[in-house]
Amino acid sequence: MRRRILSAIIGVTALATIVLTLPLAVLIAGREHNDANQELTLAAERAANELTSDSDFANSSLELPEFEDSLTVGVYLPGGRRIAGAGPATADNFTMSAALLTEIGTTATNRVLVRPIVEREQKVAVLRVAEPLSEAERKVWRDILILLGIDLTAVIVAAVVGSLVTTRLVRPLSAIRDDAVRLGDGDFSIKPARSGIDELDATADALADTAARLDGVLQRERSFTADASHQLRTPLTSLRLVIEGEMQSPSADPNPMLDAALGEIDRLEATIGTLLSVARDQPISRDPVDLDRMLAAVTRRWSAVLDERDRSLACASSIEGHPRVSRNVLEQILDILLSNALQHGRGDVTIDASEEGNNVVITVSDLGRIGRDPSELFTRRDPGASGHGLGLALARSLAESEGGRL
């Protein structure tokens, strides 16, 4: 990828320099030719100024000023004989064809300017100024080489800058690729590195957020088995007791036993569905719940269990409305709290439901005491727990899934 980006930057720069160089080369060539014509014109004017009106053009001893080595200046009679300066001994056809106006043209090897010298509207002599064509070409190529040098410098600068840019781009992209590979291997501890490039930083943040969500989902999926086994123990025990009781003392009418067994099976299904929905962060129905009826059902179910241990369960409710909450989730939380009161508490158990502002508060209490920091009780698999260390942690997560707290 780095090679492709660098090649693209260099290629675009090279193409841009070519597009600019070609018209500039044409302009340079035209400028040099114009300069050459201007140089010939100035030399002809200088030579003409040295030739006064009383010059004896029949005398071959005329003297001309000195010119650049590249210029050849000569004076020719109308008949074509050179009488002063340098150049061919006999005027060429272009020189001979000059009338009364200055003309510029080329021969096979030279650029030639012809300036007639006129007296009394008669051409008495002709100034011939010539320069090799190679002189202008040499200047043209000199300027083009300078331009090509600038182009080469631009390409080199583009390569250096492109290398820096690609390094800056490739490094965070490589980090994102490595994070994606780690994510595919099951490593969700991804911390996005800042690159200063908004788009790449946003991509790295999105990948890190995805990793965090996947980690949460997998953690919930992994904890589902432990939570399910913990929560299914109570209804399974109840179902076993109902069936064993019927087996030991068969009743004349088995329908009440079967109804009770079906009720426990319904609780099993509801428990599994609720825990699975919470573990997978799936939407849960939150219809208005008649708390008085629900608490009465919970009280009846747990009173029989507590009675076996000579403990009582009382419920008091002052709730007037029907709050919107998942009944199954709320029942799971109450089952966990009542199970803890049964296993780890003492004395009678009380369920109290009241309203505080817009909130509903349900309290499960008994007469027992715990000599530990209350915040430690909600640690999952707490090594100091006397039980499995799962119940209260699960109850808190269920409460938080409903937007509440425990």
Side-chain angles (χ1 to χ4, degrees):
M1 178 179 179
R2 178 175 182 176
R3 184 173 62 254
R4 290 195 298 270
I5 296 176
L6 184 59
S7 299
I9 293 175
I10 296 175
V12 170
T13 304
L15 180 61
T17 58
I18 291 173
V19 171
L20 293 175
T21 298
L22 291 178
L24 284 176
V26 174
L27 291 175
I28 288 173
R31 186 198 66 184
E32 291 297 341
H33 288 301
N34 290 334
D35 289 347
N37 292 339
Q38 185 68 23
E39 187 177 4
L40 294 180
T41 301
L42 293 175
E45 291 297 327
R46 182 183 173 192
N49 290 335
E50 294 293 330
L51 301 176
T52 60
S53 59
D54 57 353
S55 298
D56 184 4
F57 292 101
N59 185 358
S60 60
S61 62
L62 291 174
E63 294 185 1
L64 298 174
E66 295 183 357
F67 297 94
E68 297 180 8
D69 294 339
S70 60
L71 297 179
T72 301
V73 182
V75 181
Y76 292 82
L77 292 176
R81 183 170 65 86
R82 178 167 58 83
I83 59 175
T90 301
D92 51 30
N93 293 333
F94 182 72
T95 304
M96 292 298 296
S97 64
L100 300 179
L101 299 176
T102 301
E103 295 183 8
I104 299 177
T106 58
T107 63
T109 58
N110 294 312
R111 182 187 306 275
V112 179
L113 180 144
V114 177
R115 186 184 187 283
I117 298 175
V118 180
E119 291 183 1
R120 300 182 187 88
E121 297 183 359
Q122 296 292 324
K123 182 173 68 173
V124 297
V126 177
L127 271 172
R128 179 183 182 273
V129 183
E131 183 183 57
L133 293 174
S134 60
E135 182 67 18
E137 297 298 328
R138 181 184 64 81
K139 294 178 181 179
V140 169
W141 281 110
R142 179 199 61 194
D143 293 342
I144 290 178
L145 288 175
I146 293 175
L147 188 59
L148 291 176
I150 295 174
D151 293 343
L152 180 60
T153 302
V155 172
I156 293 174
V157 171
V160 174
V161 174
S163 178
L164 297 176
V165 170
T166 53
T167 299
R168 188 185 178 192
L169 287 175
V170 169
R171 185 180 295 116
L173 285 175
S174 298
I176 293 174
R177 178 203 60 197
D178 294 340
D179 288 342
V181 172
R182 289 168 52 200
L183 181 59
D185 292 337
D187 183 1
F188 302 104
S189 59
I190 295 178
K191 295 182 179 180
R194 301 289 93 184
S195 65
I197 303 174
D198 294 340
E199 292 78 5
L200 295 181
D201 289 344
T203 302
D205 291 339
L207 185 62
D209 292 340
T210 300
R213 288 196 300 270
L214 289 176
D215 188 27
V217 170
L218 288 179
Q219 290 294 341
R220 291 193 295 270
E221 292 281 358
R222 290 167 182 167
S223 64
F224 169 73
T225 302
D227 294 340
S229 63
H230 182 275
Q231 288 303 101
L232 295 179
R233 186 176 295 108
T234 299
L236 283 174
T237 301
S238 300
L239 181 60
R240 175 183 291 274
L241 291 175
V242 170
I243 295 175
E244 288 179 350
E246 182 64 21
M247 292 177 65
Q248 292 176 1
S249 302
S251 59
D253 184 7
N255 288 328
M257 183 278 299
L258 294 176
D259 291 338
L262 288 174
E264 295 300 330
I265 292 174
D266 290 339
R267 286 184 58 207
L268 287 172
E269 291 180 348
T271 298
I272 294 174
T274 301
L275 294 179
L276 194 58
S277 296
V278 172
R280 294 178 176 177
D281 200 17
Q282 294 176 341
I284 299 176
S285 175
R286 295 180 175 88
D287 299 322
V289 175
D290 187 342
L291 284 181
D292 290 339
R293 292 183 60 184
M294 188 205 73
L295 292 175
V298 172
T299 301
R300 285 194 302 270
R301 186 169 68 249
W302 279 94
S303 292
V305 179
L306 287 166
D307 286 343
E308 294 179 357
R309 301 193 182 187
D310 297 327
R311 299 172 65 184
S312 65
L313 174 61
C315 178
S317 174
S318 60
I319 305 297
E320 296 182 357
H322 293 144
R324 287 185 174 273
V325 66
S326 171
R327 179 186 179 116
N328 291 332
V329 171
L330 189 55
E331 286 185 348
Q332 292 297 322
I333 296 173
L334 289 173
D335 284 344
I336 293 173
L337 297 180
L338 291 169
S339 175
N340 274 271
L342 176 66
Q343 298 294 328
H344 311 296
R346 294 176 55 193
D348 297 337
V349 182
T350 302
I351 301 176
D352 180 71
S354 61
E355 290 181 316
E356 292 184 4
N358 295 325
N359 300 318
V360 173
V361 179
I362 300 178
T363 305
V364 177
S365 59
D366 59 47
L367 301 179
R369 292 180 179 276
I370 298 179
R372 297 183 60 194
D373 184 353
S375 62
E376 296 178 355
L377 302 178
F378 297 95
T379 302
R380 189 175 181 84
R381 295 195 181 280
D382 177 17
S386 57
H388 297 85
L390 294 174
L392 289 178
L394 173 59
R396 169 170 280 184
S397 65
L398 290 173
E400 290 174 350
S401 72
E402 289 296 299
R405 63 186 178 89
L406 180 63

